[in-house]
Amino acid sequence: QVQLVESGGGLVQAGGSLRLSCAASGRTARNYGMGWFRQAPGKEREFVAGMRWSGSSTYYSNSVKGRFTISRDNAKNVMYLQMNNLKPEDTAIYYCAADHSVRVGVPLSATEYDYWGQGTQVTVSS
């Protein structure tokens, strides 16, 4: 089992920044794929960014590319999502997720992930 705990959400004005953290514990493995997703009220959960726990490739949705950066600290077992130039449409609950399948890249569909955190609210005011 893998436990994921997100933190760092909050209320910020448009143009501002936040950094989300996802602390992983339990049966973590260096070949896991990790993803950040978000879900706004009345909308589907959508992929935001991802990376494998090992390796350097990162993946972003078009809506956040150039504004958000995913990174990790292997020593602390923490994954981050640095969010800059936030927009009101970024308002959502943000979740981190882990995929234990051995594959290239990271899945873009939420259904492919095996473990989820509880989520952290991000609200961007205009």
Side-chain angles (χ1 to χ4, degrees):
Q1 278 284 12
V2 176
Q3 292 79 45
L4 303 171
V5 178
E6 303 95 336
S7 60
L11 172 64
V12 64
Q13 288 188 328
S17 299
L18 283 174
R19 188 177 79 158
L20 304 184
S21 300
C22 173
S25 61
R27 193 168 174 257
T28 55
R30 288 294 175 248
N31 60 346
Y32 277 25
M34 301 296 295
W36 284 101
F37 284 76
R38 66 186 181 188
Q39 189 165 20
K43 294 190 175 181
E44 302 264 327
R45 191 168 296 191
E46 65 170 349
F47 175 83
V48 174
M51 68 188 308
R52 299 209 70 79
W53 204 258
S54 60
S56 59
S57 296
T58 55
Y59 308 86
Y60 298 95
S61 68
N62 288 336
S63 61
V64 307
K65 197 173 294 182
R67 299 188 297 123
F68 290 11
T69 303
I70 188 172
S71 63
R72 68 179 186 270
D73 184 328
N74 286 355
K76 296 181 180 179
N77 273 358
V78 178
M79 179 177 68
Y80 301 100
L81 185 68
Q82 177 68 44
M83 307 186 294
N84 297 329
N85 191 20
L86 282 160
K87 304 175 180 180
E89 51 263 42
D90 295 318
T91 295
I93 299 174
Y94 283 70
Y95 300 89
C96 70
D99 159 41
H100 65 54
S101 298
V102 177
R103 65 178 95 209
V104 175
V106 295
L108 304 184
S109 170
T111 59
E112 299 285 341
Y113 287 79
D114 306 289
Y115 306 101
W116 290 87
Q118 81 289 351
T120 185
Q121 176 71 47
V122 171
T123 303
V124 184
S125 63
S126 57

